[in-house]
Amino acid sequence: MLKEGQVRIPSGCAIAAIMDKQAKPFSGSEIIKSIALMRDRSNGLGGGFAAYGIYPEYKECFALHIFYDNNQAKTLAEEFLNNHFDIKMCGVIPTKPTAGIKNSPKIWRYFALPNKIRLNSSGKNEDEYTARCVIRINSSIPGAYVFSSGKNMGAFKAVGFPEEVGEFYMLDEYKAYLWTAHGRFPTNTPGWWGGAHPFTLLNWSIVHNGEISSYDANRRYVEMFGYKCNLQTDTEVITYLFDLLVRKQGLSLETAAKVLTAPDWDIIDAMEQEEKEKYTALRATYSGALINGPFSIILGFDGGLVALNDRLKLRALMAAEDKEKIYFASEESAIRVVCPNPDTLWSVEGGTPVVAKVRG
Amino acid sequence: MKYVIIGNGAAGISAAGAIRKHDKKGSITVISDEPYAAYGRPLISYFIKGTVTQDKMPYKSPSFYEDYRIKTVFGQSAEKIESGSVVLNSGQRVEFDKLLIATGSLPFIPPISGLSGNPNVFTFLKLDDAIALKKAVKRDSRVVIVGGGLIGLKAAEGLHAICDNITVVELADRVLAAVIDKQGGDIVSDHLEKNGIKCITGNSVEAFNNNEAILKNGEAVGCDILVVAVGVRPNVRLAESAGISINKGIVTNENMQTSNPDIYAAGDCVESFDITDGSKRILALWPNAVRQGIIAGSHMAGGAEPAEKGTMPLNSVGFFSLNVMTCGITDPRDNSYETIIKTEGQKYKKFVIKDDVLRGFVLVDSPHRAGLYTALVRDKKPLSSLSGDITEEMGLINFSKDEIKKKIGGGEIQ
Amino acid sequence: MNFLNPEFQIIRDKDRCIKCGACVRQCSYEVHVSDKDTGELYTNDINCVACHRCTSICPTRTLTVKKNESVYRESANWTSDYINQIFRQAETGGVLLSGMSNPQPYPIYWDKILLNASQVTNPSIDPLREPMETRTYIGAKPDKIEFDSNGKLKTKMPPQVKLEMPIMFSAMSFGSISLNAQKSLAAAAQQCGTLFNTGEGGLHEELMPYKDCAIVQVASGRFGVSKEYLDMGRIIEIKIGQGAKPGIGGHLPGEKINEDVSKTRMIPIGTDAISPAPHHDIYSIEDLRQLVYSLKEATNYQKPVSVKIAAVHNSAAIASGIARAGADIIVLDGFRGGTGAAPVRIRDNVGIPIELALAAVDERLRSESLRSKVSLIAAGSFRNSADVVKGIALGADAVYIASAALIAMGCHMCRQCHTGKCNWGIATQRSDLVKRLNPEIMSQRAANLLTAWNHEIKEMLGGMGINSIDSLRGNRLMLRGIGLSQKELDILGIKHAGE
Amino acid sequence: MKRIYAREQYCINCRLCECFCKTAHSVSKDIIKAHKTEKPEPVSRLFVEGDNMLSFAVNCRHCDKPACVEACITGAMVKDPETGIVINNSERCVGCLSCVLACPYGAVKAGNIAYKCDLCRGEEMPACVKNCPNRALIYIEGGSER
């Protein structure tokens, strides 16, 4: 059977996120509890988490989480890493045996800084340098897969139900100010660890629910800018779109969200002249970045998140605020299970991004 | 406002309609010595023939007088007009503010001996004439019609349906002499002969003895019934009594007003202006009477129906399915006119042209779109502005493209 | 003696014929004849081109046009077409001309591509309930959009042209088609919020009201080109080639250059209008660049400049060059595109299908990171809305239609455009024939066609779970090949059905 | 009132208006019967003039001051005061053709009696207009005529 990257696999999902606006770290047990409630939205073929603020002691380093199918992959990858990075610290990511989590690959993490000489000669900044390296490992070293590459953040994912994944990685022992979570319902795959979500690139992490119908238009668009969509997943292409628009093109997160879920032309036509010109220019220029079809996504980044629903609001996505915490989940109950009486609770509107950032 | 109309013919009835259009309130009285609702005078020959029954004679719908709130004084003759009223034969006076004299024509009775008081002598102008004639004529009656004009010939055609022996005697060298040329007239008389009506031209009846009509050349024609149809003269007796000016007929201005500003006149009793030859004369023609009636009625009631610049002779008549149309000058008297003649079998077309303008025409058995020619005569359209040979066939196509567009595309809409 | 076998045969049902003679008066090929003496109607079948004017006008539907039952002894090799062509050439010694598009049975890839629809994992969208967007902006796009510190737009957008639907009317000059036909297209374009194309014939003054939806063409003959003409168009299109006759120029015979055509083309009445095969100022890509920028300069950089080429073997490389030469829009015209007149041999044998060219060009422009900067228009026989959807999924921003629009206006594809006797008043300058095409009726029919296709496009988009044409563009996952070789699939960049 | 106007620039000389007028004024209302078998033969009320280069249909203008009505000796020819339609009542017409001689457009057809356009009385769209393949005939509200 073909895995991600060899074939495009539609899947249904559950997503959830919790963030502390004061950036106070809290344990992963809460997000596990939230995502666990939506067990019937997953089918045991993938689950994962992204956590921000978990590696304060290595916050200057890129934290590369890598799956290795075999020793040879590890050897090749480490050779590549040693050539391109100064590894400050590395080791196996601690896990514990968990029912439901089987066939684990080797899971390593590396806290690394780009090799100065190579970085300088590349003419790229360290983000771009690192991103290219990640893409290179993933596309050229069979059996090695970098599934997390940000700073002071990390993704944890596996084939299994998300709460099992949380247990497996012992996430209750990590503390983060922002947690996102994903439970997957792929239609036709045995599940591949690399294919589980969140998908990340540098500090971007995305959990996504839905199947976008614009996939190939988006893929062929971002690939014009040097990306390579190895996984053929929506999450991957959406991550690249954000990366392209925000990191490379310098759009604000809000504007980027307005590109991905652009306002209808009817709405643009009714805008004041200046706004109209702005949105017309955005839509005309970035038409290849418009995402179509049902989706709800939560994009995590260094210092915040963006929750976004498709233009037609074809997917559920609930949000709640309670004191300093903000919650998102595919279902209201998944919020209430950890926060029974939030101050406010609302349904995220289609095409209208909710951007939450930690203070300061 | 009190309107009185004397005469219930084409002019009178048209005037009544026009008055009511402009004055919804005033009283309208129509006086007629005939006891019938207005009817088409030319229909009397069809009445004789039987193709039009008496109930089909009325010209307007049965409710016309009621609908237009017209008071009728029928079967009484107006005797004289004096100081704002019409005096009837009953002695009754009908007061008017505005009066229309539309008394039409009277038959001209030629000096033929044996006519006066003779019950076998008839005229042919009114329905009563036709009723009486139809009653008198039997299948084997020998009828002589004096006069081969439109009335005489229509009488002959009508009588032919109920009578086998009909002779028309015409003084001129041809029938329809007043409206048609010799060649055209001969086609008509040949056609009548073919259909069993004897036509004698260049002759006249001098005496009638209830067995024979003695002609001018001495010939005697067997005759039981004599119909006198030599022509009409305007009925101006009442006008005379009113003291208004009269020439060949009642004189009016272009709005049909007589020398007395409260009295108007219209129809066959009025002297008209013939635009084709510039003469002033009596033009006893149906459309002419209708138009004059409308103009008179309109002006009587304060309307402003535009005056016609004049009228012209115009006749369309059929004899045994042979249609004869004439317009304007058909038989020019001098050689300043050019004539073009086209014949083919019974078809005969004659065009009379002077100074690049069609002045008149004859169309025998060629009625197709004849009105286009009429319009050329009326409008004095320069023929050189037309394309193609209009004597072969006429259509709007002969006009310039701009004129065509106006005519078919609503461009003539005001 | 005439060697030619009539291609068609006309059957008249005498029981139905009322001898009104409409067929006689309507046939410019003098197929129908009325006997002057008896009024009986006869046919000269040899003249019939199967344009169906007579069958359409006949009030009692008396007439049937059939293929002639009398046949040559045919073989798969020596078809009656080829035999007839030889007879004709033997008679005239000339190049065979024909109109409309390549009739040969080459593969039509549109018919071997299937579209996707959503099921379960992704909902289809009901176009009656949800907004369904087919608006497309064509023109060069900037590398990125920038805002100033106040969030105001800093980037100056290159000139953009809004299309309410991704379908435009392809170039058909006044001269090749009648003014009434052009007027109909212009009015339909205006009504539907799209564009028409003047072709290489100038812009007739009666089309001024439609100038805002005109693409003005600059071709090798430079007919009708003036500063005013360039200023009037919404887009300026440099025509390098045409799908129906790649590599050769055009020739409008002098008989068709009447006063009106002469004025619009700015050439003397009665002279042949010859468009040379090449532009005599373009002998390589850098010359094209100079022309592109001359035109931009002449119009103050207010209008997108488009370059149209015929789809030929190395279109991908050429298109890349055109993009680099500064064109804002690239038009690819496939070899099944129509024409008013082309040598039969050229039309039937030169060029490549638009599907392959489009796929190759789109892929090449993407691999060179050029595709997002330039608009890509496909032309060359888009016959229905599904063809359009497939074209856009292969990578086009919009398509040009011409034959389909003409068919909407009565064209029956008889392929006699070159004779100037078009019974439908389309490809003719004869005033008696031109007036048969009433722009009031035909503009509505053309507009109806666009409206109908746009509806259908929305239906298909909705089925795919897409509510904006933007998300269809280049979305080749929505396509699957059927009965195609791996090579063909690779060029088209699509998978086989079932994969 | 609504009148039929002809636009020569779109008239293509097909003369279908005549065929459909004839059919509309037939008993059977069937185009084939009307032209081939019906007796008496129905009469088309309009004329197409010209050839392929210039042609147009001539219809009754339904004048405001109709010369045909003024010329009619029987009262058969009337202009309906409500609708403005000028109609010749075939039962009252005696065929003198005075109307034919009077009509300045040549729009009245001469036969045993006079025949003229009646705007297909009561029909929303007269047959000639409805069946004109090129909209050379239009039926629209116009001003006054003549």
Side-chain angles (χ1 to χ4, degrees):
Chain A
M1 212 177 268
L2 299 171
K3 66 179 190 182
E4 270 82 0
Q6 294 163 312
V7 68
R8 192 169 141 72
I9 301 162
S11 50
C13 301
I15 60 174
I18 308 174
M19 188 183 92
D20 187 290
K21 284 190 264 184
Q22 286 182 314
K24 268 202 244 156
F26 55 97
S27 146
S29 55
E30 209 172 340
I31 190 77
I32 294 170
K33 198 171 166 193
S34 176
I35 196 82
L37 190 94
M38 298 185 284
R39 187 181 168 93
D40 61 352
R41 294 179 77 96
S42 313
N43 65 357
L45 293 177
F49 300 82
Y52 288 80
I54 52 173
Y55 300 132
E57 63 274 36
Y58 295 109
K59 66 181 180 192
E60 306 306 323
C61 297
F62 290 97
L64 306 176
H65 295 189
I66 306 182
F67 292 135
Y68 294 122
D69 288 350
N70 49 55
N71 283 330
Q72 196 198 350
K74 179 163 178 280
T75 310
L76 288 171
E78 289 186 343
E79 191 182 324
F80 179 88
L81 288 174
N82 283 323
N83 278 334
H84 290 80
F85 292 90
D86 296 329
I87 312 290
K88 295 292 175 198
M89 162 74 189
C90 71
V92 170
I93 294 180
T95 57
K96 73 174 180 192
T98 306
I101 304 292
K102 299 182 187 79
N103 305 322
S104 167
K106 299 174 195 313
I107 310 170
W108 281 67
R109 72 181 150 208
Y110 304 83
F111 295 98
L113 287 171
N115 179 299
K116 284 236 166 63
I117 298 160
R118 283 210 178 236
L119 176 65
N120 289 342
S121 63
S122 76
K124 298 185 170 68
N125 64 30
E126 62 167 33
D127 279 352
E128 182 67 15
Y129 177 91
T130 306
R132 297 245 169 179
C133 287
V134 169
I135 290 167
R136 187 124 158 241
I137 293 169
N138 289 350
S139 55
S140 65
I141 303 178
Y145 184 74
V146 182
F147 64 96
S148 185
S149 53
K151 288 180 174 174
N152 197 13
M153 63 81 69
F156 303 89
K157 57 191 190 183
V159 172
F161 283 98
E163 62 273 25
E164 295 162 353
V165 176
E167 189 186 343
F168 176 72
Y169 283 107
M170 300 179 289
L171 295 183
D172 53 341
E173 294 179 12
Y174 289 80
K175 282 191 169 180
Y177 65 87
L178 165 62
W179 290 92
T180 66
H182 188 262
R184 192 174 186 214
F185 194 140
T187 54
N188 68 343
T189 174
W192 169 55
W193 286 52
H197 298 182
F199 182 83
T200 72
L201 179 71
L202 302 176
N203 281 343
W204 304 118
S205 69
I206 285 217
V207 288
H208 154 257
N209 166 21
E211 180 195 344
I212 61 174
S213 44
S214 55
Y215 174 75
D216 215 31
N218 302 137
R219 174 186 72 83
R220 299 183 76 228
Y221 178 71
V222 291
E223 287 193 350
M224 260 191 290
F225 299 91
Y227 297 92
K228 186 85 190 94
C229 294
N230 289 311
L231 298 186
Q232 299 192 31
T233 63
D234 299 344
T235 318
E236 177 190 44
V237 82
I238 294 170
T239 308
Y240 293 158
L241 285 172
F242 268 112
D243 187 59
L244 170 69
L245 295 175
V246 178
R247 186 172 63 83
K248 290 194 177 175
Q249 302 243 323
L251 298 185
S252 70
L253 277 166
E254 288 83 353
T255 307
K258 284 292 182 192
V259 166
L260 303 189
T261 58
D264 290 343
W265 284 118
D266 289 351
I267 293 168
I268 296 176
D269 288 346
M271 289 174 179
E272 298 288 329
Q273 189 57 28
E274 202 175 289
E275 284 287 281
K276 189 160 133 183
E277 270 173 31
K278 175 174 149 183
Y279 278 99
T280 302
L282 284 171
R283 273 203 78 167
T285 305
Y286 296 118
S287 60
L290 179 75
I291 304 179
N292 229 294
F295 67 87
S296 55
I297 55 176
I298 297 166
L299 170 76
F301 55 89
D302 192 15
L305 61 75
V306 180
L308 189 61
N309 240 166
D310 63 81
R311 305 201 297 165
L312 297 177
K313 181 70 183 167
L314 295 169
R315 285 288 178 185
L317 183 59
M318 299 301 294
E321 272 187 294
D322 191 52
K323 296 175 194 77
E324 289 302 325
K325 274 190 179 165
I326 184 159
Y327 300 83
F328 294 89
S330 299
E331 294 180 11
E332 183 182 331
S333 54
I335 294 174
R336 291 201 186 268
V337 72
V338 290
C339 177
N341 293 302
D343 296 339
T344 54
L345 183 134
W346 73 96
S347 171
V348 175
E349 277 178 52
T352 308
V354 177
V355 180
K357 290 182 183 170
V358 294
R359 289 204 189 87
Chain B
M1 191 66 94
K2 286 180 288 224
Y3 303 96
V4 174
I5 297 167
I6 307 170
N8 190 24
I13 206 76
S14 302
I19 290 170
R20 188 51 85 214
K21 204 170 137 192
H22 289 96
D23 184 344
K24 306 283 181 220
K25 287 192 185 136
S27 77
I28 302 174
T29 305
V30 174
I31 300 167
S32 169
D33 55 0
E34 294 185 78
Y36 311 112
Y39 61 91
R41 287 277 153 84
L43 285 187
I44 59 174
S45 71
Y46 298 89
F47 168 75
I48 296 221
K49 210 197 288 187
T51 49
V52 177
T53 53
Q54 196 175 336
D55 60 312
K56 291 277 165 56
M57 292 288 285
Y59 178 65
K60 295 285 189 184
S61 73
S63 63
F64 173 77
Y65 296 97
E66 201 179 315
D67 294 346
Y68 281 71
R69 283 174 285 117
I70 295 165
K71 197 176 154 209
T72 56
V73 180
F74 286 170
Q76 295 190 56
S77 65
E79 292 299 318
K80 58 181 173 182
I81 297 162
E82 56 180 31
S83 56
S85 27
V86 177
V87 183
L88 303 178
N89 57 352
S90 63
Q92 193 194 334
R93 301 175 82 91
V94 182
E95 287 183 3
F96 65 84
D97 297 317
K98 298 281 176 196
L99 174 71
L100 176 70
I101 301 173
T103 46
S105 314
L106 290 173
F108 177 68
I109 307 296
I112 297 172
S113 69
L115 292 195
S116 105
N118 187 335
N120 293 327
V121 175
F122 297 84
T123 55
F124 197 68
L125 212 57
K126 298 178 172 185
L127 179 54
D128 282 340
D129 297 340
I131 292 171
L133 191 57
K134 193 170 185 177
K135 212 175 194 178
V137 172
K138 305 283 178 287
R139 176 59 61 188
D140 60 353
S141 300
R142 296 167 301 165
V143 178
V144 171
I145 298 169
V146 188
L150 284 166
I151 297 174
L153 294 193
K154 279 311 278 185
E157 190 205 18
L159 287 168
H160 183 264
I162 58 170
C163 170
D164 294 335
N165 303 297
I166 297 166
T167 306
V168 174
V169 181
E170 166 60 47
L171 181 61
D173 63 347
R174 60 187 188 272
V175 297
L176 299 179
V179 298
I180 207 168
D181 62 330
K182 172 83 170 119
Q183 198 175 343
D186 287 351
I187 293 170
V188 175
S189 48
D190 286 353
H191 184 69
L192 291 172
E193 293 270 358
K194 252 182 252 163
N195 281 279
I197 289 170
K198 204 170 168 216
C199 294
I200 298 170
T201 55
N203 216 330
S204 66
V205 175
E206 302 230 299
F208 172 50
N209 59 15
N210 286 335
N211 184 36
E212 284 178 327
I214 312 297
L215 306 189
K216 197 169 75 178
N217 66 354
E219 207 181 313
V221 180
C223 177
D224 304 316
I225 288 171
L226 190 75
V227 179
V228 179
V230 292
V232 293
R233 56 190 169 80
N235 182 358
V236 296
R237 190 173 51 83
L238 274 172
E240 279 165 352
S241 77
I244 57 183
S245 44
I246 292 162
N247 191 17
K248 286 173 184 160
I250 300 170
V251 177
T252 68
N253 67 10
E254 56 177 16
N255 296 333
M256 311 317 295
Q257 196 174 30
T258 68
S259 56
N260 179 336
D262 292 331
I263 301 179
Y264 289 72
D268 297 359
C269 58
V270 167
E271 181 183 83
S272 300
F273 176 71
D274 182 343
I275 56 168
T276 60
D277 65 4
S279 67
K280 290 201 167 175
R281 57 189 179 116
I282 304 294
L283 279 168
L285 298 165
W286 181 275
N288 189 30
V290 172
R291 183 99 297 261
Q292 289 182 349
I294 292 171
I295 294 168
S298 159
H299 286 272
M300 285 164 75
E305 184 70 25
E308 295 285 282
K309 46 191 174 204
T311 184
M312 59 187 188
L314 199 59
N315 289 288
S316 177
V317 61
F319 305 107
F320 303 106
S321 298
L322 180 78
N323 177 265
V324 178
M325 290 174 168
T326 64
C327 171
I329 298 167
T330 57
D331 195 18
R333 301 261 154 76
D334 62 70
N335 56 13
S336 64
Y337 293 84
E338 182 197 350
T339 58
I340 297 170
I341 289 171
K342 299 271 160 101
T343 58
E344 187 193 336
Q346 260 193 332
K347 293 186 194 301
Y348 173 70
K349 297 195 279 188
K350 176 181 183 178
F351 300 93
V352 179
I353 298 163
K354 185 179 182 177
D355 300 335
D356 198 28
V357 169
L358 185 63
R359 306 291 171 165
F361 58 86
V362 177
L363 299 170
V364 178
D365 196 22
S366 313
H368 185 59
R369 311 197 70 187
L372 292 169
Y373 295 120
T374 308
L376 295 184
V377 177
R378 174 174 288 123
D379 301 342
K380 296 197 166 76
K381 176 85 184 160
L383 297 181
S384 54
S385 70
L386 300 172
S387 63
D389 182 0
I390 60 155
T391 65
E392 278 302 323
E393 200 177 353
M394 173 86 199
L396 296 180
I397 195 93
N398 300 102
F399 290 92
S400 73
K401 203 161 170 182
D402 282 347
E403 286 172 297
I404 292 170
K405 280 191 171 182
K406 275 188 201 158
K407 286 179 193 295
I408 62 172
E412 291 202 339
I413 294 174
Q414 289 121 24
Chain C
M1 186 164 60
N2 192 341
F3 286 26
L4 286 170
N5 193 33
E7 273 190 82
F8 306 102
Q9 208 178 358
I10 294 168
I11 314 292
R12 181 184 295 278
D13 180 348
K14 296 227 166 192
D15 290 341
R16 295 187 65 81
C17 178
I18 60 171
K19 296 180 189 168
C20 68
C23 50
V24 177
R25 291 185 298 273
Q26 290 290 297
C27 184
S28 63
Y29 299 95
E30 293 167 0
V31 171
H32 298 276
V33 183
S34 164
D35 187 299
K36 273 206 175 90
D37 301 322
T38 63
E40 290 297 325
L41 302 176
Y42 301 99
T43 54
N44 286 324
D45 290 353
I46 188 84
N47 291 345
C48 179
V49 300
C51 77
H52 282 269
R53 182 71 184 180
C54 59
T55 62
S56 302
I57 204 85
C58 175
T60 56
R61 286 276 168 185
T62 295
L63 300 165
T64 310
V65 177
K66 290 171 90 172
K67 278 211 168 122
N68 190 3
E69 284 168 11
S70 159
V71 294
Y72 296 128
R73 176 174 283 254
E74 263 201 283
S75 79
N77 189 31
W78 284 107
T79 61
S80 57
D81 273 353
Y82 287 133
I83 295 170
N84 271 342
Q85 287 175 359
I86 287 178
F87 284 152
R88 265 198 218 112
Q89 288 190 302
E91 240 169 63
T92 64
V95 170
L96 289 173
L97 284 179
S98 184
M100 297 318 287
S101 55
N102 187 337
Q104 298 299 323
Y106 293 103
I108 296 167
Y109 290 97
W110 301 135
D111 296 338
K112 295 166 189 264
I113 295 176
L114 298 170
L115 294 170
N116 194 31
S118 296
Q119 301 290 306
V120 183
T121 57
N122 174 338
S124 47
I125 300 170
D126 186 347
L128 298 176
R129 284 180 51 133
E130 304 288 353
M132 194 54 73
E133 300 178 322
T134 53
R135 184 187 295 183
T136 302
Y137 279 84
I138 57 174
K141 305 296 185 296
D143 290 334
K144 56 167 125 171
I145 300 286
E146 290 179 297
F147 298 93
D148 65 16
S149 51
N150 298 323
K152 282 193 180 163
L153 194 61
K154 202 164 89 186
T155 306
K156 172 122 180 48
M157 286 294 281
Q160 299 292 305
V161 175
K162 177 169 77 174
L163 306 177
E164 288 298 351
M165 54 185 76
I167 308 166
M168 299 182 284
F169 294 128
S170 193
M172 286 172 275
S173 68
F174 171 45
S176 75
I177 61 170
S178 65
L179 185 59
N180 281 358
Q182 221 183 32
K183 225 185 264 178
S184 304
L185 294 170
Q190 190 175 61
Q191 188 182 333
C192 294
T194 182
L195 307 179
F196 77 104
N197 189 314
T198 61
E200 188 184 17
L203 191 64
H204 191 275
E205 59 185 13
E206 285 186 31
L207 292 172
M208 292 308 159
Y210 308 105
K211 64 185 171 61
D212 286 344
C213 47
I215 298 173
V216 296
Q217 210 178 51
V218 174
S220 61
R222 299 290 150 87
F223 298 125
V225 178
S226 66
K227 168 87 167 93
E228 293 69 36
Y229 171 71
L230 297 176
D231 279 337
M232 267 179 298
R234 195 81 182 74
I235 292 174
I236 299 167
E237 182 170 284
I238 301 169
K239 177 198 175 185
I240 301 292
Q242 184 177 345
K245 41 183 175 181
I248 66 163
H251 178 187
L252 190 65
E255 305 89 74
K256 290 193 182 176
I257 313 293
N258 59 23
E259 193 185 337
D260 242 10
V261 175
S262 125
K263 223 161 66 184
T264 311
R265 292 209 172 201
M266 304 177 184
I267 53 171
I269 294 174
T271 53
D272 291 8
I274 296 180
S275 305
H279 284 244
H280 285 304
D281 53 1
I282 302 177
Y283 285 88
S284 187
I285 193 76
E286 68 275 17
D287 293 341
L288 175 67
R289 184 180 174 85
Q290 289 187 354
L291 181 58
V292 167
Y293 280 95
S294 310
L295 293 172
K296 288 188 177 189
E297 190 71 36
T299 51
N300 208 15
Y301 295 86
Q302 298 294 307
K303 296 166 196 300
V305 171
S306 158
V307 176
K308 175 180 177 178
I309 55 166
V312 290
H313 300 177
N314 59 340
S315 292
I318 297 164
S320 165
I322 292 170
R324 292 168 197 279
D328 303 302
I329 299 165
I330 299 170
V331 180
L332 286 172
D333 192 12
F335 84 144
R336 285 191 311 272
T339 175
V344 170
R345 252 3 110 214
I346 304 278
R347 183 194 65 183
D348 294 359
N349 295 281
V350 183
I352 63 168
I354 184 59
E355 302 91 322
L356 301 179
L358 171 60
V361 167
D362 177 67
E363 191 54 38
R364 176 69 67 92
L365 292 176
R366 284 173 190 270
S367 72
E368 298 184 19
S369 294
L370 293 167
R371 178 66 188 86
S372 64
K373 295 177 186 142
V374 66
S375 294
L376 185 56
I377 311 294
S381 200
F382 284 85
R383 304 156 303 166
N384 54 51
S385 58
D387 289 356
V388 177
V389 168
K390 291 167 190 175
I392 291 172
L394 279 182
D397 284 280
V399 307
Y400 265 142
I401 62 167
S403 296
L406 298 187
I407 292 170
M409 300 197 298
C411 169
H412 278 59
M413 306 296 277
C414 73
R415 309 203 293 268
Q416 302 301 309
C417 321
H418 60 292
T419 65
K421 289 184 181 177
C422 178
N423 265 324
W424 294 89
I426 299 168
T428 178
Q429 301 303 323
R430 255 172 63 176
S431 64
D432 59 323
L433 302 176
V434 170
K435 69 179 172 182
R436 294 180 182 180
L437 197 161
N438 181 343
E440 287 170 23
I441 301 172
M442 294 311 174
S443 63
Q444 194 53 53
R445 289 181 67 93
N448 285 349
L449 181 76
L450 291 183
T451 308
W453 284 21
N454 200 36
H455 276 306
E456 290 178 337
I457 290 170
K458 290 177 176 183
E459 292 269 339
M460 285 181 266
L461 285 181
M464 295 172 192
I466 287 175
N467 73 345
S468 167
I469 197 88
D470 291 339
S471 297
L472 177 69
R473 194 174 308 122
N475 193 339
R476 297 189 187 174
L477 260 188
M478 291 298 171
L479 306 176
R480 290 290 189 277
I482 184 103
L484 295 178
S485 70
Q486 191 54 49
K487 190 73 201 172
E488 288 165 318
L489 293 169
D490 288 348
I491 294 167
L492 291 167
I494 62 176
K495 292 181 172 173
H496 201 275
E499 277 191 274
Chain D
M1 67 174 292
K2 269 181 149 180
R3 289 188 166 93
I4 297 170
Y5 297 107
R7 303 191 293 177
E8 54 77 25
Q9 70 268 35
Y10 296 130
C11 179
I12 60 174
N13 196 32
C14 67
R15 307 192 174 215
L16 295 192
C17 47
E18 290 181 347
C19 296
F20 284 99
C21 181
K22 187 168 173 176
T23 306
H25 292 91
S26 69
V27 175
S28 62
K29 313 284 182 204
D30 177 291
I31 188 166
I32 294 172
K33 284 185 193 160
H35 284 79
K36 292 176 83 89
T37 56
E38 203 168 307
K39 295 287 176 228
E41 195 182 340
V43 181
S44 159
R45 310 303 170 89
L46 52 74
F47 306 87
V48 175
E49 288 190 40
D51 53 22
N52 279 15
M53 296 312 292
L54 171 63
S55 61
F56 47 85
V58 180
N59 283 74
C60 169
R61 312 312 308 142
H62 296 276
C63 301
D64 289 342
K65 287 192 227 168
C68 57
V69 172
E70 292 181 11
C72 181
I73 59 169
T74 66
M77 190 75 80
V78 290
K79 184 174 176 71
D80 187 308
E82 306 275 298
T83 62
I85 303 176
V86 176
I87 286 169
N88 185 41
N89 182 340
S90 62
E91 286 179 6
R92 303 197 60 199
C93 178
V94 294
C96 73
L97 307 188
S98 293
C99 48
V100 174
L101 182 62
C103 175
Y105 296 97
V108 184
K109 202 165 222 176
N112 287 335
I113 60 170
Y115 297 97
K116 69 175 295 299
C117 164
D118 54 5
L119 289 176
C120 290
R121 278 194 265 193
E123 291 289 320
E124 199 174 308
M125 193 65 91
C128 56
V129 178
K130 191 159 63 188
N131 291 286
C132 177
N134 207 34
R135 228 180 272 173
L137 291 173
I138 48 175
Y139 186 48
I140 55 165
E141 205 63 45
S144 59
E145 186 114 342
R146 222 178 87 84

